[in-house]
C-alpha cells in the first residue's frame, strides 16, 4: 500500500499541513521540525504525487529546456549547465552565491526537448509543457526570423508566463526586440541604445533573456583578420533565417565597413549561407566560396563545427591552413583547442549563460533590470590564422 502524507505526518509527529509546507518549501518551518519531517520521508520512502501536486499548486516540478540539436556541444553545454543549476552546482564557480537569494534550491525535473531546428516542433513542445504545467522553460539558441512564427511564439510564451511559468530565453534576442546583443561585458545587464521595447509581460510573469554578444564577437574576429593583413575574407554563414546568423554576419560586415573594405556587393559574393551549423555545411560552403572567389585568403565560419568542415575542404583542395588560407570559428567549443591546427575562435561563456538561465528559471536569481542580462565574448587566437602570403 502506498505511503501517504498522513503516514509521514504521524511518523514525524506533526500535522499533514506541516509536512506539505516542508515538501513545498513555501512556508517557514523550524529546522528541528523540518529535519524530523525529512527523516520520516526517507524512512517511509514517501514519494510525492507529482500530477496531484501540480493540480493543487497550478504548476509541476518540471523544467523544460528546448534545444535545436542535443548532439551539438553548443546546446549540450548550455542544457547541462541549466540542469546543474537545479542541483546548485553552478553558481560558486562563476562568482555567484551558492544559495541564490539565501533559500534552499527547489528540486525540479529537467526535460530536454530536441526541436531539430523546427519552428513547428518548438511550438508543439511549448504546448506539451504547458499541458504538464511546467514550472519553467528555457529556450536556447537563435530564433527563426519568420513573422508568422514569431507572432505565434510570442503569444505562446506570454500565455505560459501569464499562467505562472517562468520563461527564459538563452542565446536568443528578447521577445520584443533584438538589439540587446549589440555589446555587453560578462555579468552585465544592459540594453543597446536602439533597443526600446520593454520585456514581454504576462499577467503573472516576465519573459527574461540571457543574450549573447554575437555581433561584437564577429566584429572582433574580422578585425583580427584585417589586422593580420587579410583583405579577401570569405564567410561561411549559418541558415539565413536564424537570428544568430544575422547578428554574426552584421558584426563581420561592420568590421569590414569600419576598415573601409568591401562594398556590399563584394561582401555578398564572399558570403555563402549553409543549411545548418554542422561540418558538412562548412565543407560544402568552403568549396562553393573558393569556386566563387579563388583568391580568398581567410574564411570565417558560422561556428567551430562549420570551421572543421571548412578546413577539411581546404585540405582536399590542396590548400594549407593557415599558410594558404586562414580559418576562424565561433563559440570555442571543447574540441577547438585540439583541432589541427587549433582554431582561432570567439569564446562565448556557454556554461555561465546556461547556469544563469537556470537560476533565473528557478527564481533563485533576481530578474535583471529590464528583463535582459547579456554575457560578453572573448577573442581566442590560435594557430589557424596567420598573415596572408606575400602578394595575396
Amino acid at each position: 500500500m502506498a505511503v501517504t502524507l498522513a503516514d509521514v505526518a504521524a511518523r514525524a509527529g506533526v500535522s499533514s499541513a506541516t509536512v506539505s509546507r516542508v515538501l513545498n518549501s513555501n512556508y517557514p518551518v523550524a529546522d528541528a521540525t523540518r529535519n524530523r519531517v525529512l527523516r520520516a520521508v526517507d524512512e517511509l520512502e514517501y514519494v510525492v504525487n507529482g500530477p496531484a501536486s501540480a493540480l493543487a499548486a497550478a504548476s509541476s516540478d518540471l523544467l523544460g529546456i528546448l534545444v535545436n540539436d542535443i548532439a551539438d556541444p553548443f546546446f549540450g553545454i548550455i542544457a547541462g549547465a541549466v540542469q546543474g543549476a537545479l542541483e546548485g552546482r553552478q553558481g560558486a564557480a562563476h562568482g555567484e552565491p551558492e544559495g541564490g537569494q539565501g533559500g534552499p534550491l527547489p528540486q525540479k525535473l529537467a526535460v530536454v526537448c530536441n526541436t531539430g531546428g523546427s519552428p513547428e516542433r518548438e511550438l508543439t513542445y511549448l504546448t506539451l509543457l504547458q499541458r504538464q504545467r511546467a514550472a519553467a522553460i528555457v529556450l536556447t539558441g537563435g530564433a527563426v526570423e519568420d513573422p508568422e512564427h514569431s507572432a505565434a511564439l510570442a503569444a505562446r510564451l506570454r500565455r505560459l508566463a501569464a499562467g505562472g511559468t517562468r520563461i527564459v530565453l538563452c542565446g536568443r534576442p528578447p521577445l520584443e526586440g533584438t538589439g540587446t546583443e549589440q555589446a555587453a561585458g560578462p555579468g552585465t545587464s544592459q540594453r543597446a541604445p536602439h533597443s526600446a521595447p520593454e520585456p514581454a509581460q504576462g499577467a503573472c510573469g516576465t519573459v527574461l533573456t540571457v543574450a549573447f554578444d554575437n555581433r561584437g564577437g564577429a566584429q572582433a574576429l574580422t578585425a583580427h583578420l584585417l589586422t593580420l593583413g587579410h583583405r579577401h575574407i570569405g564567410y561561411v554563414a549559418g541558415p539565413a533565417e536564424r537570428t544568430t546568423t544575422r547578428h554574426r554576419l552584421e558584426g563581420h560586415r561592420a568590421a569590414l565597413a569600419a576598415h573601409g573594405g568591401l562594398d556590399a556587393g563584394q561582401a555578398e559574393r564572399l558570403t555563402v549561407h549553409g543549411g545548418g551549423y554542422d561540418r558538412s555545411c562548412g565543407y560544402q560552403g568552403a568549396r562553393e566560396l573558393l569556386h566563387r572567389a579563388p583568391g580568398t585568403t581567410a574564411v570565417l565560419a558560422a561556428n567551430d563545427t562549420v570551421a572543421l568542415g571548412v578546413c577539411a575542404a581546404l585540405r582536399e583542395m590542396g590548400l594549407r591552413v593557415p599558410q594558404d588560407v586562414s580559418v576562424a570559428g565561433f563559440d570555442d567549443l571543447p574540441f577547438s583547442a585540439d583541432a589541427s591546427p587549433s582554431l582561432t575562435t570567439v569564446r562565448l561563456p556557454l556554461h555561465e549563460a546556461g547556469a544563469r538561465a537556470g537560476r533565473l528559471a528557478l527564481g533563485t536569481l533576481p530578474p535583471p533590470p529590464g528583463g535582459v542580462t547579456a554575457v560578453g565574448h572573448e577573442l581566442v587566437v590560435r594557430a589557424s590564422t596567420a598573415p596572408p602570403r606575400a602578394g595575396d
Side-chain angles (χ1 to χ4, degrees):
M1 185 174 178
V3 176
T4 67
L5 194 75
D7 295 330
V8 176
R11 174 67 69 92
V14 299
S15 68
S16 294
T18 298
V19 175
S20 178
R21 289 166 180 166
V22 170
L23 295 178
N24 291 321
S25 298
N26 62 359
Y27 196 85
V29 177
D31 288 343
T33 303
R34 179 184 299 277
N35 291 336
R36 286 208 315 277
V37 170
L38 294 178
R39 186 164 56 249
V41 167
D42 290 339
E43 290 172 353
L44 296 175
E45 297 183 352
Y46 174 69
V47 178
V48 177
N49 185 326
S53 297
L55 288 172
S59 67
S60 69
D61 287 334
L62 191 68
L63 185 149
I65 308 170
L66 271 63
V67 302
N68 286 350
D69 181 6
I70 193 58
D72 185 334
F74 177 94
F75 294 103
I77 291 170
I78 295 175
V82 172
Q83 185 168 359
L86 308 188
E87 304 164 15
R89 289 193 279 111
Q90 308 296 332
H94 299 288
E96 295 171 359
E98 193 63 32
Q101 296 184 58
L105 283 172
Q107 297 300 308
K108 303 292 181 186
L109 173 66
V111 175
V112 178
C113 306
N114 193 65
T115 69
S118 164
E120 293 77 16
R121 284 185 184 176
E122 184 173 71
L123 294 175
T124 298
Y125 277 126
L126 290 174
T127 298
L128 293 173
L129 289 167
Q130 184 177 20
R131 289 177 185 170
Q132 295 298 318
R133 299 173 182 263
I137 299 173
V138 178
L139 292 87
T140 67
V144 174
E145 295 195 299
D146 173 76
E148 185 176 345
H149 174 70
S150 296
L153 177 64
R156 196 73 49 92
L157 294 181
R158 288 195 189 93
R159 191 156 57 245
L160 280 158
T165 298
R166 290 191 179 93
I167 305 293
V168 182
L169 311 179
C170 184
R172 66 171 64 191
L175 195 58
E176 293 188 5
T178 57
T180 55
E181 284 189 302
Q182 191 72 6
T188 64
S189 301
Q190 69 178 66
R191 303 181 70 84
H194 64 280
S195 180
E198 290 301 312
Q201 294 285 340
C204 299
T206 300
V207 178
L208 304 176
T209 301
V210 179
F212 293 163
D213 187 13
N214 284 311
R215 289 189 186 91
Q219 192 164 357
L221 205 51
T222 301
H224 163 67
L225 293 173
L226 289 167
T227 300
L228 288 175
H230 291 279
R231 297 298 179 267
H232 306 286
I233 304 172
Y235 197 107
V236 178
E241 70 277 8
R242 291 276 170 181
T243 54
T244 299
T245 297
R246 178 169 63 82
H247 294 158
R248 293 181 182 182
L249 192 54
E250 286 174 353
H252 165 62
R253 292 183 176 175
L256 293 176
H259 192 270
L262 301 177
D263 60 34
Q266 289 175 304
E268 191 60 40
R269 186 173 67 90
L270 290 174
T271 300
V272 175
H273 283 280
Y277 293 102
D278 56 27
R279 182 183 181 279
S280 63
C281 290
Y283 177 87
Q284 297 295 340
R287 294 191 69 89
E288 181 178 342
L289 176 64
L290 271 292
H291 176 73
R292 290 185 193 176
T296 300
T297 64
V299 179
L300 286 176
N303 65 11
D304 294 335
T305 306
V306 171
L308 293 185
V310 171
C311 290
L314 293 174
R315 284 194 299 270
E316 269 194 18
M317 299 167 71
L319 296 170
R320 300 165 299 166
V321 178
Q323 293 90 339
D324 300 315
V325 180
S326 288
V327 177
F330 207 109
D331 296 332
D332 195 29
L333 298 177
F335 59 77
S336 302
D338 298 320
S340 183
S342 56
L343 276 177
T344 291
T345 185
V346 166
R347 177 178 298 149
L348 293 179
L350 303 179
H351 193 275
E352 175 193 338
R356 194 177 299 178
R359 286 173 168 258
L360 288 170
L362 287 172
T364 57
L365 195 65
V372 180
T373 181
V375 295
H377 68 271
E378 178 186 352
L379 176 66
V380 180
V381 178
R382 297 195 180 107
S384 66
T385 53
R389 294 175 305 184
D392 284 347

